[in-house]
Amino acid sequence: MFKIQHAEFLAPGIKRFVIEAPRIAHKYKPGQFVILRLYERGERIPITIEHSDPERGTIRIVVQSVGKTTNLLNSMNTGDSILNVVGPLGKPSEIEKFGTVVVMGGGVGTAMAYPTAVALKNAGNRVIAIVGARNKELVILERELRESSDTLMITTDDGSYADKGFVTDKLRQLIENGTRIDLVLAIGPVPMMRAVAEMTRKEKIRTIVSLNPIMIDGTGMCGGCRVLVDGKSEFACVDGPEFDAHRVDFSVLVQRNSTYREAEKKSMEEFQQDPNKQLETVHAGQTGACALEGVGR
Amino acid sequence: MTQPTKPTSLNVLKPNALPLKERMKVPRQHMLEQPPLERATNFTEVNLGYSEELARREAQRCLECAKPICTNDCPVGVKVKEFVQLIVAGDFLGAAAKIREDNVLPAITGRVCPQEDHCEGGCLMGKKVQPLGIGYLERFVADYEQRHLDISSLPKASPTGKKVAIVGSGPSGLTTAGDLVQKGHEVHVFEALHTPGGVLVYGIPEFRLPKQIIREQIDYMRAMGVVFETDVVVGRTVTIDELMEEEGYDAVFIGTGAGLPQFMGIPGEHLNGVYSANEFLTRINLMHAYEFPNYDEPMLDFRGKNVAVIGGGNTALDAIRSALRLGAGKAFILYRRSEAEMPARKEEVKHAREEGVEFQVLAAPLEFLDDGKGWLTAARCQKMALAEPDASGRRRPVPIEGSEYEVPLAVAVIAIGTSANPIVQSTTPGLNTNKWNYIQADPTTQRTSRKGVFAGGDIVTGSATVILAMGAGRRAAKSIHEYLTTSSDW
């Protein structure tokens, strides 16, 4: 069991958790993720680590409510526990002095891009951060990114805060202004990452994206997270999650991520019918799991 | 037939009353099974076990050879004749203890071991009649032990003060752990998944090896003193070097299993509906996706659909029989050689066929086709013929020109093998690997190129069987014990 030391909403539907996980905190490097399972009947889901504190033995994650599991997680609070947290998984981000790096975060992807932005800054890069959100309420980590980047640009889809538009609009401006860009890191929804990739491909700017395919074990065993990179299958959990954006087949990613859409919808409907009862099931499934020693029935 | 006697701890071994020449006349006792068409719709175990009476009747068939081939042919050297004699005498707990001297997972090997390749394959009776049902007997005493033995008071060896880390809780790791804890070493097992058991949990389906059995065997090991830590991916969460230098482990055994699923590299493998066997089986076995929405991990709806598994090993059969239980309308194996070359256990092939699995042999897919929206609709296949034997000793399949045909399919599961998982190798400097990236280990001592580090099972040999991995675990335990107690030379 992994105790939630602290939980707070950063924005509506986006929650930050500080979790006691000493081993993971000790080994974590930016770009890596954990897989967690809330209770005995739960699914395993990958979540990027936002920060770690090796001395306190804690990691931080930022979670957006999307389906049943993320909604359940975001109904959990300080003092609750998560049954399983494993990691840090995946290859760390490549951190070196590239020169000028544009770090782009779309929605909750901002929380995943943030630690790499910090590491790139500490490695001596000039970091231009571009953060996009649907509206003002959903802009997260503004203060943190302002401190750890040389320039921070913010866009909102509806113009309720900062500049109206998309993160790609800002990237285009930078390119058109003749800004020398040595590397782009884009993390966010697939359409955003794909749009960034298309824009930088023409300019021949090296671009890294962090992919979020369906995943189960996270150690290379199941092959569920395979993505098409340069026409070949690669596993996001061991070969990624970061890949060269210009080699990724985003259509296949979108298509494979839709595999369980119907089942996900069904789970979500069930959750919405009675969220409190679902949360009770989680708590019961955690204590029950202790008795069951972690093995299903 | 003699009356069953009650087992007692002071049992005096009663000899087998059945005269030698009568023993061959007793037919091999069948194990009860769930009826095929009934079991094809559920995940409950197929084989139902022996009664005490059937077990003793079967045990009486043993010829009690002076030089038992069965023990010789067993990768962990179970003293078959002796445990069978204890069954004849009615001392079932004694029989279980006798097996445990060499095999810490009897309820598991009694179910999934390919006995025909080992103990039963060597059984002298098999030359004339059916061999002794050694696997069935092993399973019987293991299950009897589970019901009757109080594990809260297992004797513990006096501590040696040495600490051993076991990486992976599959068959090789569990065996090494069980053997070492009995020698008094402090043993910690690290498991990457949330449940100990490795392939026994994620790979082998409930109907062949119930999870309850694995849990009981692991509980037994806990009672012996083995400590399990789940959610630790050695190489990522902690490295081998950190275990030895910072956490004070005197030796490490690596038993991380086979690893990455292989794909065929044909067009359409990324379509929705195409699975690796590992993913397909992990969803079902580890994640209970077949119980969705009671469990959260989802599975595609298989009801009434055409499902094919590509491959001819035990994993392929586990997958296709699972598909059948998920309601597949038509479930078939696509295998590029003929049935004679299939690596799967004969019993599994028989069970699968009884349940309604079809075998399309001498056929291989060339391409997966889709509906234009990324969903699998069919496989374009090619017929094969057999040519001269290849490096594996099996006859090589060669394509027949112009024999292409299409099979409508909603789901395809690829079960053509695995390749080495690189996580431990790539994070352990100085650990030598072979050209396929499997860890190099001495076949007798299981020592690797790193002092104090041993390895065994699929991560050394590539995909093999539970019992072969257990054999490696036994050798490793012996060798680790020697390393820790006699001399630390390397």
Side-chain angles (χ1 to χ4, degrees):
Chain A
M1 294 274 267
F2 296 78
K3 198 173 168 204
I4 299 171
Q5 214 176 63
H6 185 72
E8 59 172 335
F9 277 105
L10 296 181
I14 300 179
K15 203 165 185 175
R16 174 146 77 184
F17 296 88
V18 180
I19 300 165
E20 289 173 15
R23 282 191 186 278
I24 303 172
H26 184 63
K27 293 293 285 182
Y28 162 76
K29 290 198 172 67
Q32 291 186 301
F33 62 94
V34 287
I35 284 188
L36 50 86
R37 191 178 72 133
L38 301 181
Y39 69 122
E40 192 52 42
R41 293 177 176 230
E43 60 180 344
R44 293 167 65 98
I45 59 163
I47 304 269
T48 304
I49 303 170
E50 187 236 339
H51 183 260
S52 86
D53 186 335
E55 280 174 23
R56 292 210 174 95
T58 56
I59 57 165
R60 268 192 342 225
I61 57 170
V62 175
V63 180
Q64 181 168 34
S65 306
V66 180
K68 178 182 174 182
T69 302
T70 47
N71 271 285
L72 278 172
L73 179 53
N74 282 355
S75 2
M76 296 172 82
N77 285 308
T78 306
D80 287 340
S81 289
I82 298 171
L83 186 55
N84 306 101
V85 181
V86 63
L89 301 170
K91 287 184 180 165
S93 305
E94 192 185 332
I95 304 294
E96 55 179 82
K97 191 170 175 183
F98 296 101
T100 298
V101 181
V102 176
V103 177
M104 305 173 73
V108 75
T110 305
M112 305 169 194
Y114 163 64
T116 305
V118 174
L120 286 166
K121 178 71 188 156
N122 291 340
N125 292 285
R126 175 179 171 223
V127 173
I128 302 171
I130 308 176
V131 168
R134 284 208 308 279
N135 58 46
K136 182 181 178 179
E137 283 191 310
L138 295 173
V139 175
I140 55 169
L141 303 178
E142 184 181 349
R143 182 177 54 80
E144 287 91 335
L145 273 164
R146 202 171 291 287
E147 283 167 12
S148 55
S149 62
D150 295 274
T151 310
L152 172 65
M153 302 174 179
I154 299 173
T155 62
T156 48
D157 297 4
D158 65 356
S160 56
Y161 185 62
D163 294 340
K164 183 173 169 27
F166 299 114
V167 286
T168 39
D169 298 334
K170 291 288 174 193
L171 179 64
R172 187 183 296 113
Q173 279 174 25
L174 287 173
I175 293 169
E176 283 171 359
N177 292 345
T179 310
R180 184 196 151 87
I181 302 170
D182 298 289
L183 181 77
V184 171
L185 171 75
I187 307 180
V190 178
M192 168 220 154
M193 294 192 286
R194 190 196 325 229
V196 171
E198 289 318 311
M199 190 174 287
T200 57
R201 189 194 308 273
K202 287 181 219 123
E203 308 296 329
K204 298 193 169 61
I205 302 170
R206 192 174 161 216
T207 302
I208 303 292
V209 286
S210 180
L211 303 185
N212 57 339
I214 291 169
M215 201 176 276
I216 305 178
D217 67 297
T219 65
M221 184 271 284
C222 85
C225 68
R226 63 190 190 275
V227 288
L228 213 53
V229 178
D230 263 345
K232 278 189 282 220
S233 278
E234 296 213 17
F235 297 163
C237 67
V238 287
D239 302 319
E242 293 184 0
F243 291 96
D244 182 336
H246 300 153
R247 297 167 195 270
V248 170
D249 188 327
F250 288 102
S251 307
V252 165
L253 180 65
V254 171
Q255 165 224 308
R256 286 185 55 80
N257 276 355
S258 75
T259 306
Y260 297 104
R261 191 165 289 158
E262 275 179 43
E264 286 159 1
K265 224 169 89 187
K266 190 171 171 184
S267 286
M268 191 56 199
E269 281 164 8
E270 193 189 312
F271 169 80
Q272 281 165 330
Q273 270 170 21
D274 195 346
N276 289 331
K277 190 178 154 222
Q278 295 280 331
L279 196 61
E280 276 167 31
T281 314
V282 169
H283 289 301
Q286 289 185 334
T287 46
C290 292
L292 284 168
E293 300 284 9
V295 186
R297 72 182 166 94
Chain B
M1 193 59 216
T2 51
Q3 287 299 307
T5 57
K6 286 202 173 131
T8 106
S9 54
L10 297 169
N11 216 311
V12 180
L13 202 61
K14 293 194 193 85
N16 190 340
L18 199 64
L20 262 179
K21 56 185 176 185
E22 296 297 314
R23 296 184 194 176
M24 301 273 266
K25 293 180 189 163
V26 180
R28 179 172 159 126
Q29 304 299 301
H30 287 293
M31 181 167 282
L32 288 173
E33 294 172 357
Q34 271 198 77
L37 296 181
E38 189 180 313
R39 72 188 189 229
T41 63
N42 67 51
F43 275 87
T44 314
E45 196 173 12
V46 171
N47 285 332
L48 300 173
Y50 271 158
S51 63
E52 291 181 22
E53 192 184 333
L54 278 180
R56 295 186 70 186
R57 197 180 299 162
E58 179 63 25
Q60 279 196 322
R61 296 176 65 229
C62 179
L63 298 176
E64 301 173 282
C65 306
K67 287 182 184 168
I69 304 164
C70 45
T71 297
N72 245 349
D73 286 357
C74 173
V76 296
V78 168
K79 296 184 263 303
V80 175
K81 181 170 82 174
E82 295 173 36
F83 97 74
V84 171
Q85 285 172 336
L86 286 159
I87 297 176
V88 173
D91 182 2
F92 305 132
L93 285 180
K98 184 56 70 183
I99 297 175
R100 280 193 179 275
E101 289 175 10
D102 305 288
N103 173 1
V104 294
L105 305 170
I108 292 169
T109 48
R111 288 174 164 82
V112 302
C113 205
Q115 286 96 9
E116 63 268 29
D117 296 335
H118 300 289
C119 54
E120 293 182 23
C123 178
L124 220 54
M125 300 188 90
K127 309 254 185 268
K128 294 257 172 72
V129 291
Q130 290 252 291
L132 184 66
I134 300 168
Y136 290 171
L137 290 171
E138 179 176 59
R139 174 193 156 133
F140 165 77
V141 291
D143 290 354
Y144 184 92
E145 179 194 53
Q146 170 56 33
R147 289 194 303 274
H148 294 91
L149 184 72
D150 175 14
I151 60 169
S152 63
S153 56
L154 292 177
K156 291 210 173 72
S158 56
T160 60
K162 302 284 185 184
K163 264 174 84 177
V164 184
I166 309 285
V167 183
S169 62
S172 73
L174 289 179
T175 303
T176 312
D179 281 4
L180 285 173
V181 82
Q182 292 183 64
K183 302 278 190 195
H185 305 299
E186 186 183 332
V187 181
H188 287 240
V189 179
F190 296 97
E191 167 57 45
L193 293 171
H194 54 255
T195 296
V199 71
L200 303 171
V201 169
Y202 74 74
I204 303 179
E206 183 78 16
F207 57 83
R208 213 150 69 78
L209 178 62
K211 304 290 165 287
Q212 173 73 16
I213 301 289
I214 304 161
R215 186 159 68 239
E216 287 161 1
Q217 300 282 298
I218 295 212
D219 283 346
Y220 192 104
M221 302 195 72
R222 282 201 175 99
M224 292 198 294
V226 177
V227 176
F228 288 88
E229 191 175 341
T230 55
D231 300 316
V232 175
V233 181
V234 171
R236 292 258 192 256
T237 315
V238 63
T239 62
I240 302 264
D241 286 310
E242 286 164 345
L243 286 173
M244 298 182 86
E245 286 159 23
E246 294 171 21
E247 299 195 20
Y249 288 95
D250 300 290
V252 176
F253 173 78
I254 306 169
T256 48
L260 314 176
Q262 283 177 358
F263 290 91
M264 288 177 290
I266 63 173
E269 272 182 317
H270 56 271
L271 293 173
N272 296 355
V274 180
Y275 289 95
S276 76
N278 277 5
E279 181 189 354
F280 179 77
L281 289 170
T282 299
R283 277 185 185 277
I284 295 171
N285 301 329
L286 177 72
M287 303 309 299
H288 289 252
Y290 65 95
E291 295 184 68
F292 179 87
N294 243 344
Y295 280 70
D296 291 338
E297 193 78 48
M299 196 77 200
L300 292 177
D301 187 353
F302 281 57
R303 285 171 296 180
K305 296 192 177 144
N306 277 10
V307 180
V309 173
I310 294 107
N314 287 318
T315 303
L317 286 174
D318 283 345
I320 199 64
R321 293 173 71 197
S322 297
L324 209 58
R325 284 157 173 79
L326 290 168
K330 189 176 163 194
F332 57 97
I333 288 276
L334 269 178
Y335 182 56
R336 61 195 186 125
R337 305 181 203 241
S338 78
E339 205 175 310
E341 286 82 21
M342 269 193 189
R345 286 185 67 195
K346 298 288 166 282
E347 185 180 33
E348 306 308 327
V349 176
K350 173 179 159 278
H351 278 159
R353 185 165 277 132
E354 288 168 356
E355 289 164 11
V357 170
E358 289 177 33
F359 289 81
Q360 286 194 17
V361 296
L362 292 165
L366 294 171
E367 181 183 8
F368 293 114
L369 307 171
D370 76 320
D371 61 355
K373 294 175 195 152
W375 287 87
L376 177 70
T377 54
R380 199 162 63 82
C381 299
Q382 186 171 39
K383 294 205 168 129
M384 313 292 270
L386 290 180
E388 71 287 354
D390 63 12
S392 73
R394 294 173 299 174
R395 293 182 64 191
R396 187 170 59 93
V398 288
I400 299 173
E401 291 293 320
S403 66
E404 290 85 356
Y405 65 102
E406 263 182 39
V407 196
L409 278 186
V411 174
V413 180
I414 299 166
I416 58 166
T418 54
S419 54
N421 187 313
I423 294 179
V424 168
Q425 296 89 311
S426 63
T427 53
T428 312
L431 186 68
N432 288 354
T433 54
N434 67 16
K435 65 175 169 174
W436 299 283
N437 204 27
Y438 290 109
I439 297 172
Q440 281 184 346
D442 182 280
T444 314
T445 64
Q446 306 299 135
R447 287 182 175 202
T448 69
S449 56
R450 279 286 307 268
K451 187 170 193 278
V453 179
F454 303 74
D458 283 6
I459 195 58
V460 170
T461 59
S463 302
T465 59
V466 167
I467 190 66
L468 289 173
M470 289 175 61
R474 277 225 93 191
R475 291 192 298 276
K478 183 167 173 281
S479 163
I480 291 170
H481 180 65
E482 279 166 17
Y483 169 73
L484 293 177
T485 52
T486 55
S487 91
S488 292
D489 289 346
W490 196 260

